[in-house]
Amino acid sequence: MNQTYLPPESRVIEYKQQLLDLRRISQTVVAFANGIGGEIVIGVEDKTRRIIGLDDKIVEDLLERLPVSIADTILPTVTPLIHTKTIEDKEVVVIKVFQGMQKPYFIAKDGLERGVFIRIGSHTRRAEGALRDELLLKQQRLEYDEAPVMHCPREDLNLSLLPKGLRSEKALFSLNVLHRDQFSGEVSPTRGGILMLHPHPERFVPEAEVVISRMRGIEGRNTIESQVIQGPIPDQAEACIDMLSSWLGVELRLKGAAYKPTDYKLPREAIREAVLNALFHRQYSIAGATKIALYADRLEIFNPGHFAGPFIPESLGDGTSYIRNRVVCGIARRLHLIEKRGTGIALIRSSMRNDGHPEPQFIEGPNWFKVILIFEKNQLSPKTTHTPATSPFGARDTMPLHDRILEYMRSKVEAASADIARELGVSKATAIAHLNILQSEGRIKRIGAGPRTRYRRVKP
């Protein structure tokens, strides 16, 4: 019997071999309710994802105890869907938690100070500081960028960044650039208004900056040059796009009084959308700057915080849109920096594919999100071919990279991406991009996760 594939633990999935601690289960339920929902599956080994199953008596006991325990320990009340499921002829218990509408949820006996939990990657963690404050805003139905900043004078906003028709007080309230306190009547700028219109938003939102670097080689931290970009988000975006364009430009020709590039190592549409997505949709409540690093073979854009919605790689770019920063994105649309919701990732993918590059990588870590755009053009594209400086295949080094990977793995039971990259004379990022494509085509199988990930050829 073929083993049923279960996705790895993540922000929305947790496995338990058996139920030993009801309190830990309640903490995870709280974390899922405070996030985007999730499932706890009892009867599966968390590390191997091997299906263990549960005895009938244990299943009956869980179905009776879990609803009562969850109802007694969590405030506001959470009502998950608890049911059984048969996998490989073994019965497991599934606790399906829906995203809560009364955030923050917390463990009743610990209160709001110690009882609020969130999901960070595949782990449940206590929410403290800015993370807890962001959830408390949900009680007022406010997003993080909609919260007022009382100590920022409204006169400090640079309204000239907006079209003339949007500079009136009525328009500013409509865009949530300004917020009026319902008790005192005091008017203050919102965080989103400050991020988009203040000359120095980093004074009020320390995370409002970008560190952009050009690196030497394909690995390590050997920096050629690096800059910290500050100012309103639209200015940050323009500065980053201009800098990347100058670094990525090739085939310089004289245009007027200056030499300008006629082509780029990456499509400019992909560069623009990747930068705008990073700055408009990042989680500004998480400490740390947005980081952009240009290596010899790829561009990496790193954001603190998780993806705005549920991270399902196969669904990215299908038109689904998750808005985290409502004020920031609302102003961006009025400035025509965002054309339509849900089109950014699709445009990145299509422009990379049309220019013959490997599929872009979108990676969610424990509390970060990264986009990787690889320069090397895909061997399946008729536009170009790539021959490494050294090749273990001799005359076969003109084979498409996909075929060379399969050829190499023909004599291997399984291999790591680093081994494949080294043998084929390409970067690890390039090898992983092509392995992902082969996996999606069902030609190889991925085994394990993290540093222990291996790949195995699927026999036709």
Side-chain angles (χ1 to χ4, degrees), residues 402-452:
H402 284 33
D403 292 339
R404 290 165 54 212
I405 291 175
L406 293 173
E407 182 73 11
Y408 169 73
M409 295 181 68
R410 187 187 300 277
S411 60
K412 304 287 183 182
V413 176
E414 56 187 48
S417 58
D419 298 331
I420 295 169
R422 183 171 55 254
E423 290 294 331
L424 272 60
V426 299
S427 72
K428 183 177 177 181
T430 296
I432 291 175
H434 286 274
L435 286 165
N436 288 341
I437 294 172
L438 287 169
Q439 184 185 356
S440 68
E441 295 173 350
R443 302 169 75 181
I444 66 170
K445 182 178 181 181
R446 180 175 173 176
I447 302 168
R452 296 184 179 180

Side-chain angles (χ1 to χ4, degrees), residues 153-173 175 177-178 189 193-194 196-199 232 331 335:
R154 58 183 292 186
E155 294 77 19
D156 287 356
L157 299 182
N158 182 7
L159 299 184
S160 67
L161 296 174
L162 293 172
K164 288 185 178 180
L166 297 179
R167 297 176 190 174
S168 68
E169 185 163 290
K170 181 179 179 180
L172 295 175
F173 277 110
L175 288 171
V177 169
L178 299 178
I194 290 171
M196 293 295 284
L197 302 174
H198 197 284
I331 298 173
L335 297 177

Side-chain angles (χ1 to χ4, degrees), residues 445-460:
K445 182 178 181 181
R446 180 175 173 176
I447 302 168
R452 296 184 179 180
T453 299
R454 297 291 184 271
Y455 298 88
R456 179 179 298 169
R457 178 169 175 160
V458 175
K459 293 182 179 180

Side-chain angles (χ1 to χ4, degrees), residues 41-60:
V41 184
I42 306 172
V44 177
E45 259 185 1
D46 58 344
K47 293 183 179 179
T48 65
R49 287 176 269 161
R50 186 165 63 94
I51 300 158
I52 306 298
L54 302 169
D55 293 334
D56 289 344
K57 289 185 178 180
I58 295 177
V59 170
E60 292 176 6

Side-chain angles (χ1 to χ4, degrees), residues 355-372:
D355 203 44
H357 294 277
E359 184 77 5
Q361 298 179 39
F362 303 94
I363 305 169
E364 186 178 55
N367 206 22
W368 51 264
F369 188 76
K370 182 189 290 188
V371 178
I372 302 177

